[in-house]
Amino acid sequence: MTRRVLEVSDLSKSFTMHHLGRTLPAFEDLGFTLDEGEFLLLSGANGAGKSTLLRTIWRSYLPEAGRVVFTRADGGRIDLARAADVDIALLRRHEIGFVTQFLTARPRVPAEDIVAEPLLSAGQPLVKARAAARAALASYGIKPDLWPAYPATFSGGEQQKVNLARALILPPRLLLLDEPTASLDAGARAALIARLSALKAQGTAMIGVFHHPGDVLALIDREFSLTAREDADVAV
Ligand SMILES: Nc1ncnc2c1ncn2[C@@H]1O[C@H](COP(=O)(O)OP(=O)(O)OP(=O)(O)O)[C@@H](O)[C@H]1O
């Protein structure tokens, strides 16, 4: 039986622009569902609200209205729009992943340790976790010289590879992808697509924004299109 992972209903998010004295809607009354192993492509013009929707599901943003019901691996259901911060932190650690183009490099933590961390948290021994982390970094084309180095000095593409290696080292139940191929070279793009296919086959549900969806064509099950709203601003 296919199991539901996410059920979004009547979801609305707007931004209050105090300097303009206005509230501008990013999106209104959105609804869709997502099952295990499904890949939903989020499409829409620049400014249509794609990143805002991903950040609202990730709970960086609180919506004004609506529900984002996530079904955990244990079958329990939780509304991400209303969950306590401590529950959101736990879900981010174990069940929900978010890959963006940007890495927040932590000072003085080697690349291989950043990538190994989720495995160590899951109880793997250090030697095994570090070997898996190195293999993941290698798969994206990060050379051995850089494995013990600090990513703060890495190039943009190299930092993104560290980000990917860490975020995808364990299969999350739900994976949010915001332009993850943006600054990757062809080899890393191919490695990423291969990893996403493997995760999908293991049941990870994914919602992705790709300005060049040709990269992930074989993975896409459905498309959800957002429309930019131009004339719906409300004075505050
Ligand atoms: N923090 C914010 N404060 C105010 N307005 C914001 C904020 N974040 C996004 N917006 C506005 O919300 C709208 C949707 O932005 P969003 O970044 O979600 O679009 P997008 O579809 O991801 O665009 P792109 O394809 O260009 O990345 C835009 O008009 C943007 O200016």
Side-chain angles (χ1 to χ4, degrees):
M1 197 182 82
T2 307
R3 283 180 57 193
R4 178 97 347 136
V5 173
L6 197 69
E7 197 162 336
V8 172
S9 51
D10 308 316
L11 194 66
S12 300
K13 169 73 194 155
S14 58
F15 291 106
T16 299
M17 315 283 277
H18 293 286
H19 62 295
L20 299 178
R22 286 168 183 270
T23 293
L24 298 164
F27 52 76
E28 280 187 322
D29 295 329
L30 292 189
F32 59 87
T33 59
L34 192 69
D35 291 336
E36 282 180 359
E38 256 197 309
F39 187 109
L40 183 73
L41 177 74
L42 270 191
S43 62
N46 293 134
K50 303 179 295 295
S51 296
T52 303
L53 175 56
L54 291 182
R55 289 182 192 147
T56 305
I57 296 169
W58 181 243
R59 242 288 284 280
S60 295
Y61 294 147
L62 278 172
E64 274 77 49
R67 287 157 62 82
V68 183
V69 177
F70 176 72
T71 307
R72 294 190 307 244
D74 67 5
R77 284 155 54 89
I78 182 165
D79 183 355
L80 303 176
R82 285 169 186 79
D85 288 348
V86 62
D87 290 326
I88 294 291
L90 266 178
L91 289 171
R92 287 179 178 183
R93 203 158 172 177
H94 298 294
E95 303 209 35
I96 305 178
F98 191 12
V99 178
T100 69
Q101 319 166 35
F102 310 104
L103 169 77
T104 319
R106 302 215 311 274
R108 291 178 295 285
V109 182
E112 61 192 9
D113 289 355
I114 290 179
V115 177
E117 211 169 52
L119 299 173
L120 294 172
S121 295
Q124 282 200 16
L126 179 64
V127 174
K128 201 173 161 208
R130 199 168 267 167
R134 290 172 176 172
L137 287 167
S139 76
Y140 295 111
I142 297 280
K143 294 191 185 70
D145 286 355
L146 291 182
W147 297 346
Y150 303 146
T153 58
F154 287 13
S155 75
E158 286 166 346
Q159 290 195 357
Q160 198 183 344
K161 290 173 182 184
V162 175
N163 219 9
L164 286 172
R166 178 191 162 98
L168 306 180
I169 198 145
L170 281 176
R173 184 161 167 72
L174 172 64
L175 182 59
L176 308 171
L177 301 155
D178 196 353
E179 289 280 350
T181 52
S183 49
L184 296 182
D185 51 49
R189 245 185 354 255
L192 171 63
I193 307 309
R195 182 66 184 142
L196 294 179
S197 307
L199 292 175
K200 181 172 157 62
Q202 289 175 59
T204 294
M206 304 183 204
I207 306 178
V209 176
F210 290 81
H211 278 297
H212 302 287
D215 286 345
V216 286
L217 220 47
L219 302 179
I220 299 169
D221 296 301
R222 275 187 299 136
E223 183 172 340
F224 186 79
S225 182
L226 284 109
T227 331
R229 300 175 60 84
E230 283 167 17
D231 54 0
D233 51 330
V234 182
V236 290

